[in-house]
Amino acid sequence: MKLKDYVSYMKLQHDEDPLYIFDDKFAESAPALLEDYNVPHLFQEDFFDIMDYDQRPDFRWLIIGPERSGASWHIDPGLTSAWNTLLCGRKRWALYPPGRVPGGVTVHVSDEDGDVDIETPTSLQWWLDVYPNLAEHEKPLECTQLPGETIFVPSGWWHCVLNLEMTVAVTQNFVDQTNFEHVCLDMAPGHCHKGVCRAGLLAVPGKSIRDVENHPSLMSRWNHSDMTRKEKRLKSSEHVRTSNNVNQCSALEFSDIHESLGDQVFSYDIGFLSQFLEKEKDHYSSVWSPTNSIGQREAREWLRRLWVLKSELRELIWKGACLAINVDKWYACLEEISECHSLPPPSDDEKLPVGTGSNPVFIVSDNVIKIYAEGGLGYSVHGLGTELEFYDLVQKLGSPLINHIPEIIASGFLVYQDGVYRTVPWDGKGIPDVLAKYYPLEVFYADSCFPLGLWSKQLLGMSSSTDVSDKPIWPYMVTRKCKGDIFARIRDTLSRTEILNLASSLGVQMRNIHRLPLPHVEHVSESWNANIKAKESSTFNVAHVPPEWKQVVSTLDRRKKNIKKHLSNWGGSIPQVLIDKAEEYLPDDMSFLIKFVKDDDGDSVYAVPAWIHSDIMDDNILIEGTTEPRTSTGCTTDEDLNKMDVIHIIDFSDLSIGDPLCDLIPLHLDVFRGDIDLLRQFLRSYQLPFLIGESNNDIHKSAQNSKFSRASYRAMCYCILHEDNVLGAIFSLWKELRTATSWEDVEHFVWGELNQYQQLRPT
């Protein structure tokens, strides 16, 4: 809608809930407006300013609306504060302090991921239907905002706005020293503290409406007395949450908090609120809430930048980092590992984890210390075991990859017992005794050199048993720091030629990874097949799939089963018409993505899986010096690229096996940012087919009319089924695809180039 059409609409409309403009991109679409835009002097400090502009959350809006439009009851995202300046018109404001849920409003907090959902009537409905029935002591703070006036909304305050006439306003959210700890607290995993920040003590499991009636001092002096409405709002559970299962388990988890609360009055003080953190939850091993204002990786990078660039505020930043990412625990681990291996003690600059990977990583002098925390003890143990097996393989084969990955100095386990940390060295070979005490290992490959390596990890992925993340033992690895700068931080300073040659270098090194042989599988096949029935979900039949592919296929099948819900969870980033067609586009049998069909007798020929890095992002690539071309065409030769010590690939924590196309997804979307020329440059030096198996050219020809023969189709399927919001990245990079009506259109636009290279064979 054009602005002139919206102005006409405002003049003519008689809607009960009119269209209301919240434009967070006005600065990009009309940059001249920023010439008349200044942040009021009281609100100049904003810790989010330290982030790259494209990574910081939405923070400023131009707001235009006619009479009767407005914003329903809410708390600003991530517990940020906000200011709102009115340019013309009149706004009616209502506000309640933190913990005081307005009448007619329901707060839901998911026990699975901390997702916050608020059910509320429209602003007009609330003023007409709820407000008149409130007693005087129940009414909110109220005011009418006039042109030129600015409203400040502190962190955690409920507010509702009704436009009394046509209004134009600007508003901005921010993080400063006064709300920084609250914003960090809201990033912490779990759900109880999120509920308490928004709904007060009613969100505490075990604290019912009747408890509050009997102990009035539990509620702040602002709290309601209309218990009938509250009981209806909180439904039969008598808790702020909606899941009975949550109520039952949480009442036990927080019983110690209930006793310590006594007759405390609700307080928005950070010391009071932090009591409700779920101690067993950890930033690295818990689900990240989709309603958090920034992503998990971005949160760690944000804290790191604050630590480095605002050294005068380190005491405050440390407190926030302890809330958001448990940095105090991981720093204690770092000190023990450093002392055990005679590493230099960490300096003040090295106290905070670096990098944006899935595990806490510290750089101490010239060493990198990684502590495996993602996914619980079982996953982390097998993660370290698999990584050690991979490094051992690269070393034994003398692969040129060895010059482009970190050098391992030490590895082992960190054990916490009786208030003391101790280290237990482990090189991945054999099974350390310390694990038996804390983790019931199921080992089917005891005769393997790396019994907790790749194949054991694959079987773990097939298990339906739940892993635990609160065991007092963490694997760790110490490596030599690679030379160079992280590509994500310097990409904007590189020339086009340098980035093209980076793509070429990556092609060679990814080929080196994908051509590495897998550990011998024959001696584990019988053990695998003997135990797989106990591990497989009864929902999926993967009996016909080779052992090395079972975990991959069962995971894809499981994701396809809930594909509509999975895609809908990403909000409006994916067009609904495509969500509705996803199941039809995907194959009925996921094993078809990894096999070819002969034309004579129909026998299936499965490809051999490859090692997959699984996290080739721009922050896991280091560049040393420059990559100036060595040939007149601007492309280095294969021999030159193998000799060039200009790139390093780091963080192999998520090593797995599968289709090499899976590594191409983050490469193309994150590293190359959808640049087709960089993809072509990569493919020219990569020189491998996208499934390396027993198939020959005749098989390729017989299948050329099948969608399964298209590398682009398989890549698109992996994008749809990906555990992360890969599709959101696609529709963000190519905005024209938001109007696509078929997955085939998206496939050919994004991945069509792959079909030109899938016939290439290794030399």
Side-chain angles (χ1 to χ4, degrees):
M1 181 180 290
K2 293 183 177 181
L3 181 60
K4 65 178 182 180
D5 296 326
Y6 181 72
V7 171
S8 298
Y9 162 81
M10 286 196 294
K11 292 178 180 178
L12 300 174
Q13 61 84 27
H14 297 283
D15 298 347
E16 180 180 321
D17 186 20
L19 298 176
Y20 193 19
I21 291 179
F22 270 78
D23 185 2
D24 63 327
K25 298 293 187 290
F26 73 92
E28 289 87 337
S29 56
L33 287 177
L34 286 183
E35 297 177 8
D36 293 328
Y37 183 98
N38 285 300
V39 177
H41 71 279
L42 292 172
F43 313 119
Q44 291 283 333
E45 183 178 59
D46 187 356
F47 286 179
F48 276 151
D49 279 345
I50 213 163
M51 301 179 69
D52 293 337
Y53 184 80
D54 60 348
Q55 288 191 330
R56 70 172 299 169
D58 296 336
F59 67 103
R60 65 183 170 208
W61 291 265
L62 174 64
I63 310 173
I64 306 175
E67 60 184 19
R68 294 185 305 280
S69 63
S72 57
W73 282 107
H74 66 284
I75 290 174
D76 281 340
L79 302 183
T80 54
S81 302
W83 56 267
N84 180 298
T85 297
L86 186 61
L87 306 181
C88 67
R90 292 183 301 141
K91 289 179 180 284
R92 186 66 176 169
W93 285 75
L95 302 98
Y96 285 111
R100 172 73 153 78
V101 181
V105 175
T106 309
V107 180
H108 302 278
V109 184
S110 168
D111 63 309
E112 295 181 354
D113 57 15
D115 182 36
V116 178
D117 180 51
I118 296 173
E119 294 181 17
T120 174
T122 66
S123 178
L124 181 63
Q125 285 176 326
W126 189 86
W127 284 101
L128 293 178
D129 299 336
V130 179
Y131 179 81
N133 297 316
L134 297 177
E136 281 301 315
H137 67 278
E138 296 175 320
K139 289 184 178 180
L141 295 177
E142 306 172 45
C143 69
T144 298
Q145 184 185 18
L146 302 178
E149 294 180 336
T150 296
I151 293 281
F152 168 55
V153 183
S155 169
W157 276 66
W158 288 93
H159 50 289
C160 169
V161 186
L162 177 67
N163 291 318
L164 303 179
E165 56 194 52
M166 194 279 288
T167 63
V168 178
V170 290
T171 186
Q172 184 162 322
N173 288 70
F174 62 92
V175 182
D176 63 6
Q177 295 181 50
T178 66
N179 65 8
F180 172 69
E181 290 177 271
H182 290 87
V183 171
C184 289
L185 175 69
D186 205 54
M187 293 179 183
H191 61 278
C192 189
H193 65 287
K194 287 177 177 283
V196 173
C197 286
R198 291 160 174 81
L201 294 180
L202 286 178
V204 180
K207 291 294 180 188
S208 66
I209 294 299
R210 294 178 182 83
D211 291 331
V212 176
E213 287 179 312
N214 295 330
H215 299 86
S217 62
L218 283 173
M219 300 298 286
S220 75
R221 60 182 61 90
W222 282 89
N223 277 340
H224 296 289
S225 62
D226 53 331
M227 294 303 162
T228 301
R229 179 196 61 76
K230 284 182 183 173
E231 288 178 339
K232 181 178 179 181
R233 174 175 65 82
L234 297 175
K235 300 187 174 67
S236 60
S237 69
E238 296 188 348
H239 298 301
V240 171
R241 267 174 298 288
T242 58
S243 166
N244 289 331
N245 183 48
V246 176
N247 297 331
Q248 292 168 4
C249 69
S250 296
L252 295 175
E253 294 169 5
F254 294 97
S255 59
D256 56 332
I257 293 179
H258 299 167
E259 295 175 3
S260 65
L261 283 175
D263 288 342
Q264 281 192 52
V265 175
F266 170 81
S267 169
Y268 199 61
D269 178 77
I270 197 68
F272 178 85
L273 296 173
S274 61
Q275 295 178 84
F276 301 95
L277 284 170
E278 294 152 70
K279 295 179 180 179
E280 78 284 0
K281 299 283 188 181
D282 179 78
H283 167 86
Y284 289 95
S285 58
S286 301
V287 178
W288 189 250
S289 173
T291 49
N292 282 345
S293 55
I294 55 178
Q296 200 165 8
R297 289 171 176 255
E298 289 77 14
R300 296 195 290 269
E301 177 64 10
W302 175 55
L303 290 168
R304 186 198 69 81
R305 290 192 183 188
L306 288 173
W307 184 258
V308 173
L309 300 177
K310 291 186 177 292
S311 57
E312 72 280 5
L313 296 176
R314 280 187 174 172
E315 182 179 354
L316 175 65
I317 296 166
W318 180 264
K319 292 178 181 178
C322 288
L323 293 169
I325 62 174
N326 318 94
V327 70
D328 47 348
K329 177 178 80 173
W330 300 119
Y331 181 67
C333 294
L334 166 67
E335 288 185 308
E336 172 61 26
I337 295 171
S338 297
E339 183 177 347
C340 173
H341 297 288
S342 300
L343 302 176
S347 66
D348 285 343
D349 289 343
E350 298 168 341
K351 286 185 175 181
L352 226 60
V354 300
T356 55
S358 303
N359 296 295
V361 176
F362 295 88
I363 296 180
V364 180
S365 186
D366 291 328
N367 304 302
V368 178
I369 300 174
K370 176 171 60 181
I371 304 170
Y372 293 74
E374 182 190 19
L377 180 57
Y379 186 87
S380 60
V381 166
H382 290 85
L384 175 60
T386 300
E387 195 164 352
L388 291 171
E389 186 174 28
F390 176 82
Y391 276 87
D392 182 76
L393 181 66
V394 171
Q395 184 76 35
K396 285 182 177 178
L397 295 177
S399 168
L401 182 66
I402 199 169
N403 296 317
H404 300 272
I405 60 176
E407 173 193 356
I408 296 180
I409 299 174
S411 57
F413 297 96
L414 192 70
V415 182
Y416 185 74
Q417 188 174 15
D418 299 327
V420 178
Y421 287 98
R422 65 183 180 91
T423 54
V424 179
W426 184 55
D427 62 0
K429 300 177 181 178
I431 303 173
D433 294 336
V434 69
L435 284 182
K437 181 177 180 180
Y438 298 103
Y439 182 61
L441 289 168
E442 297 178 273
V443 181
F444 305 111
Y445 320 119
D447 55 340
S448 169
C449 185
F450 289 88
L452 299 178
L454 176 65
W455 298 119
S456 185
K457 181 180 181 181
Q458 293 300 108
L459 186 58
L460 179 72
M462 290 290 295
S463 176
S464 59
S465 62
T466 56
D467 194 10
V468 290
S469 58
D470 59 345
K471 298 298 184 182
I473 179 170
W474 300 276
Y476 70 87
M477 176 186 288
V478 182
T479 59
R480 192 78 65 198
K481 180 184 175 183
C482 296
K483 295 180 180 180
D485 298 308
I486 294 176
F487 176 55
R489 298 178 188 169
I490 64 170
R491 66 185 306 156
D492 294 336
T493 68
L494 299 177
S495 68
R496 180 66 175 174
T497 299
E498 288 173 329
I499 296 179
L500 283 168
N501 284 301
L502 167 68
S504 295
S505 298
L506 283 170
V508 173
Q509 300 316 322
M510 293 310 298
R511 173 165 37 124
N512 288 334
I513 292 175
H514 294 160
R515 290 185 70 178
L516 283 173
L518 298 178
H520 195 44
V521 70
E522 183 177 328
H523 72 284
V524 302
S525 296
E526 292 184 7
S527 298
W528 193 310
N529 290 327
N531 291 280
I532 200 67
K533 291 183 180 180
K535 296 293 182 184
E536 288 178 2
S537 168
S538 58
T539 308
F540 311 112
N541 178 19
V542 293
H544 64 290
V545 179
E548 59 269 29
W549 281 110
K550 286 184 183 291
Q551 192 270 336
V552 174
V553 174
S554 64
T555 298
L556 295 176
D557 273 332
R558 183 170 60 252
R559 291 176 183 168
K560 184 194 174 185
K561 181 183 178 183
N562 301 306
I563 191 61
K564 282 191 176 181
K565 179 181 178 181
H566 175 70
L567 297 182
S568 298
N569 284 342
W570 298 122
S573 60
I574 306 170
Q576 185 62 45
V577 64
L578 296 181
I579 294 177
D580 295 337
K581 293 181 178 180
E583 191 170 355
E584 178 185 356
Y585 177 79
L586 296 169
D588 295 329
D589 184 345
M590 288 299 160
S591 66
F592 283 121
L593 293 177
I594 58 171
K595 68 181 179 182
F596 300 99
V597 180
K598 294 182 179 180
D599 60 345
D600 49 357
D601 54 13
D603 290 341
S604 299
V605 179
Y606 286 90
V608 178
W611 285 97
I612 304 296
H613 182 284
S614 302
D615 196 23
I616 296 288
M617 308 281 278
D618 61 3
D619 50 12
N620 282 331
I621 298 169
L622 274 69
I623 300 181
E624 180 184 357
T626 60
T627 57
E628 288 302 325
R630 301 191 180 191
T631 69
S632 58
T633 62
C635 300
T636 51
T637 65
D638 190 70
E639 181 179 0
D640 282 336
L641 286 167
N642 260 324
K643 291 179 180 179
M644 286 170 65
D645 225 10
V646 295
I647 73 164
H648 291 90
I649 298 173
I650 61 174
D651 194 2
F652 287 79
S653 305
D654 296 320
L655 271 172
S656 62
I657 60 172
D659 189 333
L661 276 173
C662 293
D663 269 341
L664 203 59
I665 293 172
L667 267 171
H668 187 35
L669 302 182
D670 183 74
V671 180
F672 300 156
R673 293 182 177 175
D675 189 318
I676 193 66
D677 291 328
L678 295 180
L679 178 62
R680 288 171 180 154
Q681 193 83 344
F682 170 88
L683 293 171
R684 291 189 188 104
S685 60
Y686 180 68
Q687 295 183 350
L688 292 182
F690 291 108
L691 277 176
I692 308 170
E694 300 174 9
S695 55
N696 53 39
N697 289 334
D698 291 334
I699 296 176
H700 280 294
K701 291 176 182 177
S702 68
Q704 63 184 355
N705 294 323
S706 168
K707 63 183 180 182
F708 300 110
S709 68
R710 301 195 308 262
S712 60
Y713 173 74
R714 298 199 306 278
M716 195 70 245
C717 287
Y718 294 137
C719 289
I720 296 172
L721 295 165
H722 205 283
E723 63 179 340
D724 296 323
N725 190 13
V726 167
L727 295 175
I730 287 177
F731 293 113
S732 176
L733 285 169
W734 296 284
K735 293 179 173 57
E736 59 268 36
L737 290 178
R738 296 175 184 175
T739 59
T741 57
S742 74
W743 285 110
E744 286 78 8
D745 291 343
V746 181
E747 170 199 332
H748 292 300
F749 190 94
V750 179
W751 299 111
E753 190 69 20
L754 299 182
N755 299 326
Q756 305 299 319
Y757 292 87
Q758 65 180 1
Q759 302 296 329
L760 291 173
R761 306 302 299 175
T763 57

